[in-house]
Amino acid sequence: MINEPEGGHETVVLDAPGLLADPQLAAEFAGSAHRVLAELVADGAPLGWVDPPGREEVAELVDRVLGATATGEGALRAAYAGRTLIGLGYWVRYARPTNRPHADLEKLAVAAAAHRRGTGRTLATALIADARAAGVEVLTLDARADNAHALRLYRSLGFREYGRLPGFVAIGARRWDKVFYMLDFRAEPASGAAPSGAPSPTGAA
């Protein structure tokens, strides 16, 4: 739970149980997530939507992700400044039975006002730690090739590119490559510890 008064500046990152333990934050989360995602997409952020998503669509997305976390099939992290949501991210295991050991980091989004504070790194690092703890073997993600800041972040956290589809992402007449990244936990020491030099789950840059 978050006890910091409204307007505080310390960033607190909650997992799904921590979020749901605060009735007010839990009740407001879908609306807060919609605000963050819709504003980012309206400003041109490459989050998978051409137009800002509607409230109902985001509410359904939140329900799906929270359902996955409840069964151990996913993880959600939400970043707050005071009691204001400033970022969120989640991964979900692949549905196909032959891909079940692996998971996909589907979304990582930080409100524009909170950029350059290390919030994205903190969220991503926590989600990586969650995946490792859950026994995920390979954590994947895809991104638009022009999203240079995000791709630098992922590379710094140990992800590596394993493929791309040229001109695959389309918005009107514009085209961008779709880039695929992976973080293979099977290459880590048997203890499951993070490789030397990797950031801690609560670290921020």
Side-chain angles (χ1 to χ4, degrees):
M1 297 179 69
I2 297 175
N3 298 315
E4 188 177 351
E6 189 72 31
H9 296 292
E10 181 183 356
T11 299
V12 176
V13 174
L14 300 178
D15 59 9
L19 173 67
L20 296 175
D22 188 314
Q24 182 182 357
L25 290 184
E28 296 173 349
F29 182 68
S32 298
H34 172 261
R35 172 184 55 79
V36 171
L37 295 172
E39 288 179 359
L40 287 169
V41 174
D43 287 339
L47 291 172
W49 287 284
V50 175
D51 298 310
R55 290 181 178 274
E56 184 175 338
E57 182 178 359
V58 174
E60 291 175 355
L61 173 64
V62 167
D63 284 345
R64 176 176 70 85
V65 174
L66 288 176
T69 68
T71 59
E73 300 301 306
L76 168 75
R77 289 285 178 162
Y80 284 85
R83 297 182 65 82
T84 299
L85 184 71
I86 60 171
L88 68 149
Y90 62 88
W91 59 256
V92 176
R93 284 191 184 270
Y94 282 91
R96 183 174 297 178
T98 52
N99 298 155
R100 294 293 288 168
H102 317 300
D104 192 53
L105 180 58
E106 295 186 6
K107 286 280 186 295
L108 185 68
V110 176
H115 284 181
R116 308 300 179 181
R117 296 184 191 174
T119 306
R121 177 175 292 274
T122 302
L123 285 167
T125 304
L127 288 166
I128 289 169
D130 293 338
R132 185 181 288 110
V136 170
E137 293 184 9
V138 180
L139 183 64
T140 63
L141 62 87
D142 62 75
R144 214 168 74 184
D146 66 325
N147 195 356
H149 179 73
L151 294 178
R152 282 196 302 271
L153 169 64
Y154 295 136
R155 288 193 297 270
S156 75
L157 293 171
F159 284 87
R160 63 180 179 85
E161 183 178 334
Y162 69 90
R164 66 173 57 208
L165 293 171
F168 191 79
V169 181
I171 298 180
R174 293 173 292 172
R175 299 290 184 271
W176 297 270
D177 291 358
K178 183 177 184 178
V179 185
F180 300 91
Y181 273 38
M182 63 181 286
L183 180 58
D184 192 343
F185 298 116
R186 299 170 299 183
E188 295 181 355
S191 64
S196 176
S200 66
T202 57

